[in-house]
Amino acid sequence: MRHTPAGIAVIEFLLSHQSMQVEAGSKRRVACEMPCVALGPLAQLMAGSKPGDGVKVSGFLAARSLKVRSPILHINEIEFLEGTENGFQTEEERD
Amino acid sequence: MGMIRVALDVPLPRLFDYLADDVSIEDIGCRARVPFGTGEKIGVIVAIPAQSEQSADKLKPVTAILRDMLPLPAEWIALCEFCARYYQHPLGAVMSFALPPLLRRGKLPRRKALAPINANPPAVPLLLPEQATAVAAIGAGEGFETYLLHGVTGSGKTEVYLRAIEAQLARGRQALMLVPEIALTPQLEGRVAARFPGARIVSAHSGVADAARARAFLDALEGRADIVLGTRLAVFMPLPRLGLIVVDEEHDASFKQQDGLRYSARDVAVFRAKQMNVPIVLGSATPSLESFHHARSGRYRLLSLNQRAVAEAMPTVRTVDTRREKLQDGLSAALLEALGLRLARGEQSLVFLNRRGFAPVLACAACGWISRCCRCAANRVVHLADKRLRCHHCGLEAGIPHACPDCGNLDIQPFGRGTQRLEAALQERFPQARVLRIDRDSASTPTKWQALLQQIHAGEVDILIGTQMLAKGHDFPRLTLVGAVGADAALFAADFRAPERLFAQLMQVGGRSGRADLAGEVLIQTEYPDHPLYLALTDHDYLRFAIAQLAEREQAGFPPFAFQALLRAEAPHVEVALAFLQNAAAAAAPLLGDAVMLYDPVPMRMYRMNNLERAQLLVESSSRPALQQFLGRWSERLGGLKTPRTSRWHLDVDPIEL
């Protein structure tokens, strides 16, 4: 975790995701990793977690910088999940 | 009815005549209170003319002639006249600057009883052969002669000065010693006072209180002071028994004043030595190329000290190639290791970074916003210690914004590295070390600076981080490592004097290491380890560097092979400044002749400062007299040019920054 010169906490992390999705009418398994960043109180919250913890997040996408245009997920809400298998929430459970 | 001619501090290149009863030639050099406009002014009587150029019915009577102190001597008036002529500044303004503020206002300080002199003769160190040769050469000189004392750091230049002063004191003469910085005077004053317990020593610098400064001036004028020590303004102290002038660190840029009367105290000191027919010693480890050029051409006498007086050997100087290395917080593995070694041995280290603040700019990576100054063509610097964004040019400051002012991004980041950031990084990397940062922020007052120095001398510091403040004159006996970080930028600066300054700076800062009985080491981090400047530095070879630089300057036709003057103009809009310079150039055209060359008006490199836009016009000549003659006639015409009320201009003769 680092701080901006104004003293706001910033933490960057990588979120790993796995789910079943439907594509052109057929089910498939998908996985991806998403770079994320959390600021302020959410950064403090994230600092207390450890790799492997399950989370449900929401936020918005923004370019990493003016030069690197690939997105990074800015976290606005975070919910720590317990009891889900391997920390993943699957589509089946939601149905 | 008699008449007096008075130099008044007004921005006009002329003198003013007043009627006066019972004046005599003895009154020249006295101050006079005269009516001027609706008020009164104080000036110095420079002549008792028989006739006035002003019509007789317009002459007003003088209010009072102040005969309460010795008149200023004729040579002091001549010195001011020289400065007025050479630097194209009104005589009254020069005199007003040269007088202490209290005397300028027509007052006198309360006299104090002179401190009793204690006369315990001190132990005098033995001279090395080279020192003895230099002392003998200076001592043997009769009349005016300029000696360039080139001595490597730690070679005992000061001892040579002291011996030369001693010889003059023995003959009943006064000595004037100029040093570049106020910060250096207390240390030097202590040393000089200890050496000459029977001599009266006075200080003259801008840090001295008004009354004390006026007293010092009177002590010098009335011949009571034996030694005058001071910064550049001390060159104007009247010294009726003057026998010797010493200019220490003669290459230092602070001898050149950058506003008002833009004089070079070193050059004025040389004029003064010639005027008074006394020897002058210019000392430096890295003489200015101007002085070195004179020494090579035989105008100055070169005296060299190549051996260190105290330490056994010069420090080893190495470059650290940072091209292929991933630096950690801007520091190379070699430097970190060397720092660790000094820590383990209980010795001091210094990391030199000539940039104060935490980071030179705050930027938003999302939208490209940077912390520009709204008044200057510069960025505001991040000062994390007091959480401010500060412009180092105009002083504008504000709190550090919470979010990017343009796009709202919270994650704005400092870019680059200043002393505060280095301090934080080193403290984190060496948590057991006592880290101390020395820059204009941490040593903002002389008192704070003295306290910091004491901490260093008491051995309460392991790692020093410092700007050029630390490079000058201070001896730290326990310091054995100097690391220079971020020096490369100066290699490619647009100013042709940048390499000269960088070399002098690194040589000086390197000279801080290994001064006592401990061997010193200097590590310079660079991406250009094969640059001739660094190669000369690692060989301690000033001569090679200076000769190569002079060859480059000669090829390019730069000073000291040409003489320059700069007309600068500033206005709210650069077009106005440029238009004034165009008019000035047109006025110059008929005066130019073959020897003087005029460049085109251009915006200055730092084209905007404190809401004013600035432009400059360079004049150059291979002949100093030709340039001087031209400037005299040109500045008369400049005075007659129409300038918008919002714009200002000034002439800078022998500018040191273009």
Side-chain angles (χ1 to χ4, degrees):
Chain A
M1 188 163 70
R2 60 187 171 85
H3 289 86
T4 71
I8 301 166
V10 182
I11 194 164
E12 290 188 42
F13 56 95
L14 197 62
L15 196 68
S16 173
H17 167 89
Q18 251 185 52
S19 63
M20 295 300 290
Q21 300 291 346
V22 178
E23 193 174 34
S26 62
K27 270 194 168 182
R28 57 162 293 190
R29 186 198 299 274
V30 295
C32 71
E33 286 181 345
M34 188 72 209
C36 300
V37 62
L39 282 84
L42 287 183
Q44 312 277 4
L45 201 63
M46 271 313 294
S49 69
K50 58 183 188 301
D53 286 354
V55 289
K56 180 180 174 186
V57 300
S58 68
F60 59 90
L61 291 172
R64 227 175 218 292
S65 72
L66 213 52
K67 281 180 199 148
V68 185
R69 301 308 285 172
S70 58
I72 178 166
L73 180 60
H74 290 247
I75 309 296
N76 269 342
E77 275 177 63
I78 189 158
E79 190 185 325
F80 284 88
L81 304 171
E82 282 173 57
T84 44
E85 193 192 346
N86 297 326
F88 295 122
Q89 184 192 22
T90 58
E91 285 295 312
E92 285 98 323
E93 283 169 2
R94 258 195 214 167
D95 290 339
Chain B
M1 196 73 165
M3 216 184 299
I4 54 171
R5 187 158 290 165
V6 183
L8 294 175
D9 185 10
V10 290
L12 293 171
R14 52 162 292 197
L15 302 167
F16 299 86
D17 293 345
Y18 289 90
L19 299 169
D21 295 324
D22 64 303
V23 284
S24 74
I25 205 92
E26 312 277 294
D27 290 324
I28 295 179
C30 282
R31 293 163 303 154
R33 190 187 301 277
V34 297
F36 191 86
T38 54
E40 272 191 348
K41 275 189 180 293
I42 306 262
V44 175
I45 302 174
V46 293
I48 308 288
Q51 278 189 327
S52 177
E53 287 152 20
Q54 289 154 266
S55 62
D57 53 323
K58 281 195 179 154
L59 288 181
K60 288 183 195 165
V62 63
T63 312
I65 294 177
L66 308 176
R67 297 189 178 98
D68 50 1
M69 65 181 220
L70 278 187
L72 294 155
E75 59 269 14
W76 186 86
I77 295 175
L79 178 72
C80 291
E81 280 170 344
F82 164 75
C83 288
R85 216 165 42 239
Y86 189 84
Y87 293 107
Q88 307 296 332
H89 208 64
L91 179 61
V94 173
M95 287 182 162
S96 168
F97 173 79
L99 283 172
L102 208 64
L103 301 181
R104 188 188 305 161
R105 292 197 297 268
K107 295 182 187 153
L108 275 187
R110 226 172 335 142
R111 303 277 173 150
K112 267 194 182 167
L114 290 173
I117 285 175
N118 83 40
N120 283 338
V124 173
L126 286 176
L127 292 181
L128 293 175
E130 286 177 332
Q131 283 176 310
T133 311
V135 169
I138 299 166
E142 272 298 310
F144 170 64
E145 173 89 67
T146 311
Y147 299 94
L148 180 60
L149 180 64
H150 170 226
V152 297
T153 49
S155 62
K157 289 188 289 292
T158 310
E159 185 54 34
V160 175
Y161 306 148
L162 293 179
R163 294 289 178 117
I165 292 172
E166 189 177 20
Q168 294 299 332
L169 293 182
R171 295 169 52 196
R173 310 289 289 269
Q174 294 171 305
L176 170 65
M177 185 164 180
L178 304 180
V179 292
E181 270 205 81
I182 299 179
L184 292 180
T185 50
Q187 201 184 18
L188 186 68
E189 208 182 318
R191 189 162 167 193
V192 174
R195 184 60 173 274
F196 303 114
R200 301 220 181 268
I201 301 163
V202 300
S203 304
H205 53 76
S206 55
V208 177
D210 272 7
R213 209 171 125 191
R215 264 196 297 274
F217 191 88
L218 292 179
D219 282 343
L221 172 70
E222 290 161 10
R224 281 189 301 277
D226 297 308
I227 302 172
V228 173
L229 270 181
T231 53
R232 59 176 181 248
L233 58 84
V235 79
F236 291 107
M237 293 285 267
L239 293 156
R241 297 185 283 119
L242 183 65
L244 171 75
I245 305 180
V246 173
V247 183
D248 191 24
E249 310 289 2
E250 66 90 26
H251 64 278
D252 199 280
S254 72
F255 283 121
K256 171 90 177 169
Q257 175 142 305
Q258 299 288 7
D259 56 7
L261 174 61
R262 288 160 202 269
Y263 69 107
S264 155
R266 178 197 62 209
D267 297 350
V268 173
V270 173
F271 170 84
R272 200 164 174 199
K274 188 170 182 191
Q275 177 200 29
M276 302 291 282
N277 198 29
V278 298
I280 176 168
V281 183
L282 309 177
S284 175
T286 50
S288 66
L289 290 178
E290 281 79 2
S291 298
F292 181 67
H293 177 58
H294 284 322
R296 284 225 297 169
S297 68
R299 254 179 90 170
Y300 294 176
R301 266 190 69 187
L302 183 65
L303 305 169
S304 300
L305 307 177
N306 296 312
Q307 281 164 357
R308 281 191 135 188
V310 207
E312 287 177 357
M314 295 292 286
T316 49
V317 181
R318 283 194 296 130
T319 49
V320 178
D321 187 348
T322 56
R323 277 173 299 188
R324 287 199 189 80
E325 194 179 336
K326 187 152 167 33
L327 299 177
Q328 306 167 55
D329 299 314
L331 301 169
S332 61
L335 182 52
L336 285 170
E337 193 188 327
L339 284 167
L341 189 68
R342 294 314 182 289
L343 265 181
R345 291 210 303 239
E347 297 166 8
Q348 284 176 337
S349 319
L350 160 64
V351 182
F352 173 70
L353 171 60
N354 207 15
R355 178 182 284 147
R356 67 195 171 92
F358 183 82
V361 65
L362 183 66
C364 170
C367 76
W369 173 85
I370 56 173
S371 55
R372 283 216 171 84
C373 174
C374 61
R375 303 199 290 206
C376 305
N379 295 327
R380 282 177 300 160
V381 175
V382 184
H383 284 253
L384 209 53
D386 45 2
K387 294 221 176 289
R388 308 293 281 175
L389 277 182
R390 195 170 290 146
C391 174
H392 285 184
H393 297 277
C394 70
L396 179 74
E397 60 171 75
I400 291 175
H402 199 63
C404 170
D406 277 5
C407 74
N409 174 21
L410 291 169
D411 191 7
I412 41 180
Q413 292 176 24
F415 280 84
R417 200 175 316 282
T419 45
Q420 290 180 9
R421 193 170 206 168
L422 204 54
E423 179 190 18
L426 282 168
Q427 191 64 78
E428 197 182 318
R429 199 163 285 276
F430 300 107
Q432 75 282 23
R434 295 161 300 175
V435 178
L436 185 69
R437 170 170 57 85
I438 307 249
D439 52 28
R440 274 227 310 283
D441 300 313
S442 70
S444 50
T445 64
T447 329
K448 278 190 191 167
W449 183 205
Q450 291 305 322
L452 292 171
L453 278 177
Q454 240 160 32
Q455 249 182 297
I456 304 170
H457 281 289
E460 291 164 14
V461 182
D462 299 313
I463 301 177
L464 282 161
I465 295 147
T467 58
Q468 58 180 351
M469 268 194 98
L470 268 182
K472 287 179 197 167
H474 300 283
D475 294 350
F476 305 125
R478 297 156 58 91
L479 186 76
T480 59
L481 171 71
V482 171
V485 181
D488 282 346
L491 286 180
F492 307 105
D495 190 338
F496 66 85
R497 283 192 176 85
E500 180 185 352
R501 279 197 288 267
L502 177 64
F503 187 87
Q505 214 167 53
L506 291 177
M507 194 85 153
Q508 276 197 322
V509 76
R512 301 305 112 213
S513 76
R515 305 265 303 195
D517 50 348
L518 296 165
E521 186 180 17
V522 180
L523 295 178
I524 301 169
Q525 289 191 177
T526 172
E527 293 186 11
Y528 307 90
D530 299 325
H531 194 285
L533 187 149
Y534 291 133
L535 292 179
L537 207 59
T538 51
D539 292 342
H540 302 283
D541 199 343
Y542 166 80
L543 287 185
R544 190 172 84 210
F545 172 74
I547 289 166
Q549 279 286 307
L550 278 179
E552 277 180 29
R553 297 260 186 107
E554 185 164 20
Q555 254 182 357
F558 286 148
F561 298 93
F563 302 93
Q564 299 178 327
L566 206 54
L567 179 65
R568 297 196 188 91
E570 49 186 36
H573 296 289
V574 73
E575 296 78 23
V576 179
L578 283 170
F580 169 79
L581 294 181
Q582 287 293 359
N583 288 341
L591 310 172
L592 281 175
D594 298 333
V596 181
M597 187 170 128
L598 206 61
Y599 286 76
D600 284 329
V602 287
M604 282 172 68
R605 203 141 32 91
M606 173 88 187
Y607 65 90
R608 184 179 167 83
M609 183 141 102
N610 211 354
N611 273 338
L612 285 172
E613 299 195 338
R614 319 186 306 161
Q616 65 184 29
L617 173 59
L618 178 66
V619 194
E620 201 175 81
S621 175
S622 56
S623 149
R624 200 194 290 270
L627 181 66
Q628 274 296 313
Q629 200 187 15
F630 164 77
L631 289 176
R633 295 163 65 192
W634 191 34
S635 68
E636 272 172 36
R637 297 201 176 196
L638 289 178
L641 283 185
K642 270 206 176 138
T643 48
R645 281 179 58 85
T646 50
S647 65
R648 284 182 299 183
W649 59 270
H650 67 257
L651 257 175
D652 188 353
V653 182
D654 303 331
I656 55 166
E657 268 175 76
L658 291 187

